[in-house]
Amino acid sequence: MNGVLIPHTPIAVDFWSLRRARAARLFFLSHMHSDHTVGLSSTWARPLYCSPITAHLLHRHLQVSKQWIQVLEVGESHVLPLDEIGRETMTVTLIDANHCPGSVMFLFEGYFGTILYTGDFRYTPSMLKEPALTLGKQIHTLYLDNTNCNPALVLPSRQEAAHQIIQLIRRHPQHNIKIGLYSLGKESLLEQLALEFRTWVVLSHQRLELVQLLGLADVFTVEEKAGRIHAVEHMEICRSAMLHWNQTHPTIAVLPTSRKIHRSHPDIHIIPYSDHSSYSELCAFVAALKPCQVVPIVSRQPCGNYFQDSLSPMLSMPLIPDSVQQYMSSSSNKPEFLWLLKKRLKRPRIQGVVFESPQENADKSQADRDSKKTKKENLSPSPEDLEKQPSSHPLRVKKQLFPDLCSKEWGEEVPFCESQKMVTVLTVPLGFSDEEFLSLETREDLGPPLIPRGDNNGPAAMENQSAWIDHDSPLFHRGSAAPFLGTESRDLALKYLLTPVNFFQAGFSSRSFDQQVEEYYKPVLKYRQEATE
């Protein structure tokens, strides 16, 4: 990851780890190459500053919300607050980095002095003519793209490298040309080749959208056979691909890069066309700016003491203003929390069980408690009630309350359970015996199985649900089609039907589930035993 947290400031550039950037409040993106966007995704919920082209690509390809993208025009200076009250401000100026579409350098000016962050850039002398750099400002810290900071690596200019590619293509007039590129960058090279050889350049749909945004010449297409020059992903340039392409038509491949790459096929040509500054260009750039210190952006490629003779004397670091310190130490979770909350509220909600709205006042709460108390008393009848109604159960619903559930199969009454306004009706599937319906563990606890009357697979089972009732239970009314609770816990299916849903705890064994049912009906059995004694 190439990015920095500028010390003693709330500024972060190409740095997207919020866990590590606790004090950062102002986030800047130099360009859209993947090594500078590590950690940046559609979930980003902080203000982010970048150039117009980078803003378009950021929203288009990483789906970052537009509400967080703050566009800053290139070549202009912008004043941004460094605290929550606007007492302390800084000026940031965007300078074209000559690297890839939308890439910029950031020049920060504030209480911390003057800081220049180059990002990835290819130096040209015209950069020193930028108004922000021609006013004789002292650069206190230069964050430098040191990708090619190696005296042993000699690179041609991009114009010279482009000329080498043109000469290579001219030596292969009958060949198709595959140009291996990253997803962003070197579009101007493709335009130059198309105009030089008067041919279409075949692109992917994504890159075609980009070149149209850049306003390049109309020399690009997505038609595969329209032209002999094809821009492909650099990873596609390999031995197997070359063998495949040459089976249909003579083909050569070009990799325009300064990196050391192994050639896996003789028709793969590596041309040192680089979008990063060469060592000699870096020396010229640092010598012209004379910063107080140089900080390399690519940590794995140190600069050593290459620029020591071009540095100005170090200046003391000014104190951080109190308002900025408070801003940096304040909680940084609020903006992200509000954005996530807003996003969550917009999500469509899946309708499942609908509960009543929360209680709004104390009177309604008291009424609910009284209602629950009444229901509890109904669920636990007194011994006198059990003696008076031996063949009926206190839980019953009249046909007019649930007309859809009441049918000829159920007769006049439907057993139900009520919990938090949920109604659950469970029935034993017809055509199966109790032994098939209950697990082996359950049968061990229940004793002898229930014996159905008649043929369970025939119409009689459909017309007479009492075929599932235990013959020996004294609490079952043989003339009624509605099953009720017996004195013993042998008809487990009926107990499931009459037990409130919210009574059960999470469990995965039939034994624990059965024990919970037994626990629920202990008061009923206790009252019954006391009544018979």
Side-chain angles (χ1 to χ4, degrees), residues 50-98:
C50 60
S51 68
I53 293 178
T54 299
H56 173 83
L57 299 175
L58 184 62
H59 175 69
R60 187 77 172 84
H61 301 303
L62 292 185
Q63 288 78 49
V64 174
S65 176
K66 289 183 178 180
Q67 74 177 102
W68 302 115
I69 302 175
Q70 308 295 322
V71 179
L72 302 179
E73 293 296 331
V74 181
E76 297 183 6
S77 297
H78 308 267
V79 178
L80 301 178
L82 289 174
D83 54 26
E84 295 178 329
I85 59 178
R87 176 184 301 172
E88 199 69 35
T89 62
M90 75 170 181
T91 300
V92 56
T93 305
L94 280 64
I95 303 172
D96 189 352
N98 192 32

Side-chain angles (χ1 to χ4, degrees), residues 333-359:
N333 296 326
K334 186 177 180 181
E336 184 179 12
F337 170 76
L338 293 177
W339 181 82
L340 291 175
L341 179 61
K342 184 177 180 181
K343 182 178 180 181
R344 189 169 295 177
L345 291 176
K346 289 183 178 180
R347 293 178 182 173
R349 296 189 177 185
I350 301 175
Q351 293 294 334
V353 178
V354 179
F355 298 92
E356 286 187 347
S357 60
Q359 300 168 352

Side-chain angles (χ1 to χ4, degrees), residues 205-221:
H205 288 275
Q206 178 176 331
R207 194 180 285 270
L208 179 62
E209 178 186 345
L210 173 61
V211 297
Q212 291 174 346
L213 176 67
L214 298 176
L216 299 179
D218 186 17
V219 293
F220 302 99
T221 181

Side-chain angles (χ1 to χ4, degrees), residues 441 505-513 516:
E441 293 182 352
Q505 304 295 325
F508 298 95
S509 67
S510 59
R511 181 180 298 275
S512 64
F513 195 71
Q516 294 179 54

Side-chain angles (χ1 to χ4, degrees), residues 367-379:
D368 290 342
R369 286 195 293 268
D370 295 341
S371 176
K372 290 180 180 179
K373 183 177 180 181
T374 303
K375 291 174 184 176
K376 185 175 181 180
E377 293 174 354
N378 291 335
L379 288 175

